[in-house]
Amino acid sequence: MNTQSSDLSPHNSLLITGGAGFIGANFVHYWIKNYPDDRIVVLDALTYAGSKANLAPVESHPGFRFVHGDIRDYDLVVNLLGDEHIDTIVHFAAESHVDRSIHGPDAFVDSNIIGTHTLLKAAKTLWLDSPSSTSRTKSSALSPQSSSYRFHHISTDEVYGSLGLNDPGFSETTAYAPNSPYAASKAGSDFLVRAYYKTYGLPMTISNCSNNYGPYQHPEKLIPLLILNCLEGKPLPIYGDGLNIRDWLYVEDHCQGIDMILKKGRLGETYNVGGNCEKTNLEVVNTVCAILDKLKSLSPQSSALSTQSYSSLLTHIKDRPGHDRRYAIDASKITSELDYAPQESFETGMRKTVEWYLDNLDWCKNVIGEEYNKWIEQNYTQAG
Ligand code: NAD
Ligand code: TDX
């Protein structure tokens, strides 16, 4: 087995793209808590999905800097990599919502494919081509060695397509078969990252993970949408029969998996990260409703509240076009090579998530704008 891996120095300088989004912000919190001496630079365009409020807990940390900008801006990225002596890029920035990719695929091609390519070009220029980069250990196309640089690309299990009920989970050798414009744009970006390693020796790793959940997830995604609709007594829109299956990964477990890949992962490799937690969408709705029902029954005002379960709000709506039936992850590679194991069970992770949303309703109001309300009205009201 090739044991060449990262040779990251004790104090690193990380560029986190998309760090004002859901997983990126959780990763920034995780990293500052665990490696407070590292430099952390967040580059984020603050699209509808990004918010500086997600970074409020760390904004006064001395090693932290936020840059409002686009990953497609080559000059900005090259200057940042040079000025900040960036040795590690953790690339989260992307358009990430499947439903939006069905209605407007262009932004997905632009940010996910062109944006990733812009970052790769800038990293190649600074780390492999410029004279100053020769002072650090480099990897070469012919002999990929250990390197003090790392481009880590965050991808998704959706690139592998859809599984039948009894198929084994996706492994790193499963053929790509993306079904939505979102998944296709992520697949395209994965291939570019791989090509920059194979062709130029850019030191990279990729992780393909399953559905994340936890604090700071935008309310357009299933779990926060269910929590907030329950609280407002609105219908819980479930596509088709609700029997589509996703593997659910608590976001902090994902952050820990990325940490392990950065520290111990082999260059040029892909690692699948999963939560070992397959659930149908109906099971997810029932879990959210059961937690909220329980909290309602414990409330001091419970006698004045309706005794009806939140699950009575469940409404089947017309199915998502090209809706993948099942995702499942075979995480044996990251488990055996890097000792990865998710810490959170679905029950504990969901409980923490629901409580976080209840404690942060102001955050929710903040990220939900006029545009969001129109989006929901347009997309989640057609009867099934
Ligand atoms: P998100 O939509 O919550 O956040 C994306 C962030 O990227 C936002 O802050 C946005 O402003 C920023 N961004 C978008 N385009 C940009 C651009 N051109 N330049 C700079 N910043 C830009 O997404 P997320 O759920 O946190 O996902 C993060 C990454 O993880 C994505 O690459 C996604 O494909 C991948 N992923 C997500 C999940 C999941 O369940 N959420 C699962 C697997 C993989
Ligand atoms: O209102 C809804 N009703 C519904 O039935 C929404 C928002 C979703 N769903 C279904 C569709 C999926 O089967 O719930 C499941 C989860 O949906 P999303 O939260 O939209 O996630 P998904 O499409 O599975 O994609 C997510 O996981 C993989 C992320 O958004 C991607 O970025 C990631 O790559």
Side-chain angles (χ1 to χ4, degrees):
M1 183 171 85
N2 171 10
T3 52
Q4 304 300 334
S5 63
S6 162
D7 185 21
L8 299 179
S9 59
H11 300 312
N12 297 111
S13 194
L14 289 82
L15 179 69
I16 314 291
T17 72
F22 162 47
I23 309 176
N26 277 283
F27 184 78
V28 171
H29 299 171
Y30 170 94
W31 202 267
I32 288 177
K33 187 167 140 210
N34 289 286
Y35 308 101
D37 296 331
D38 281 357
R39 177 77 168 148
I40 290 271
V41 180
V42 166
L43 174 61
D44 199 294
L46 297 179
T47 67
Y48 79 91
S51 169
K52 280 190 83 177
N54 299 358
L55 295 166
V58 296
E59 68 188 354
S60 56
H61 182 79
F64 173 78
R65 177 181 170 199
F66 178 79
V67 178
H68 184 193
D70 200 299
I71 55 168
R72 288 166 295 173
D73 184 341
Y74 177 79
D75 292 339
L76 169 70
V77 176
V78 163
N79 287 333
L80 262 184
L81 295 184
D83 294 349
E84 292 282 356
H85 306 287
I86 298 292
D87 51 40
T88 307
I89 298 174
V90 189
H91 175 35
F92 295 95
E95 290 292 336
S96 70
H97 193 24
V98 174
D99 289 335
R100 288 186 190 255
S101 84
I102 295 166
H103 294 275
D106 298 61
F108 287 73
V109 173
D110 286 351
S111 281
N112 302 0
I113 300 183
I114 310 285
T116 301
H117 187 233
T118 308
L119 288 174
L120 289 166
K121 278 194 296 184
K124 174 176 175 290
T125 301
L126 261 288
W127 295 349
L128 304 182
D129 303 341
S130 77
S132 62
S133 66
T134 53
S135 62
R136 305 191 68 160
T137 317
K138 292 200 300 177
S139 65
S140 82
L142 294 177
S143 160
Q145 313 154 355
S146 136
S147 171
S148 46
Y149 297 112
R150 179 70 69 90
F151 189 110
H152 183 70
H153 176 59
I154 309 295
S155 190
T156 171
D157 58 2
E158 302 205 8
V159 297
Y160 299 118
S162 186
L163 292 169
L165 214 51
N166 298 314
D167 290 341
F170 302 126
S171 81
E172 291 78 2
T173 55
T174 303
Y176 274 32
N179 291 322
S180 69
Y182 162 71
S185 69
K186 292 297 288 186
S189 64
D190 295 5
F191 288 150
L192 282 165
V193 176
R194 175 191 153 93
Y196 266 65
Y197 172 71
K198 292 282 182 186
T199 306
Y200 308 114
L202 189 82
M204 69 74 172
T205 38
I206 299 178
S207 50
N208 293 74
C209 69
S210 52
N211 284 54
N212 284 219
Y213 68 104
Y216 298 103
Q217 186 165 34
H218 193 280
E220 70 185 356
K221 303 284 168 56
L222 179 66
I223 289 174
L225 185 133
L226 295 174
I227 299 170
L228 298 179
N229 280 18
C230 281
L231 296 181
E232 293 185 25
K234 289 183 179 165
L236 307 177
I238 292 301
Y239 284 134
D241 61 9
L243 295 178
N244 302 68
I245 294 172
R246 298 290 181 264
D247 173 61
W248 291 96
L249 172 63
Y250 190 66
V251 65
E252 208 171 311
D253 284 330
H254 182 199
C255 295
Q256 201 190 7
I258 299 167
D259 182 0
M260 288 171 158
I261 297 168
L262 288 173
K263 293 280 157 58
K264 301 190 283 179
R266 289 180 292 136
L267 296 184
E269 293 290 323
T270 289
Y271 294 89
N272 285 357
V273 188
N276 207 6
C277 177
E278 285 185 56
K279 302 282 173 203
T280 63
N281 292 337
L282 287 179
E283 286 173 313
V284 174
V285 186
N286 288 331
T287 304
V288 169
C289 292
I291 295 172
L292 285 169
D293 285 342
K294 178 90 200 268
L295 290 173
K296 187 165 66 172
S297 72
L298 297 174
S299 151
Q301 298 99 39
S302 62
S303 55
L305 298 171
S306 151
T307 51
Q308 214 174 21
S309 167
Y310 286 109
S311 56
S312 63
L313 297 169
L314 195 152
T315 309
H316 289 273
I317 59 166
K318 191 166 174 277
D319 210 353
R320 169 190 279 178
H323 194 181
D324 288 332
R325 194 64 174 166
R326 174 174 167 243
Y327 301 145
I329 288 263
D330 169 356
S332 50
K333 180 174 173 182
I334 189 169
T335 304
S336 62
E337 274 188 28
L338 310 183
D339 243 352
Y340 167 80
Q343 303 300 305
E344 215 66 65
S345 70
F346 193 60
E347 290 65 35
T348 59
M350 282 297 287
R351 175 85 194 205
K352 280 186 183 178
T353 304
V354 172
E355 285 173 355
W356 187 87
Y357 279 89
L358 293 177
D359 290 342
N360 288 277
L361 292 174
D362 283 347
W363 174 89
C364 300
K365 271 193 213 123
N366 220 352
V367 298
I368 295 174
E370 193 54 16
E371 187 270 351
Y372 173 79
N373 290 328
K374 266 195 216 138
W375 163 254
I376 293 289
E377 182 61 29
Q378 267 168 16
N379 294 285
Y380 300 100
T381 47
Q382 268 184 292

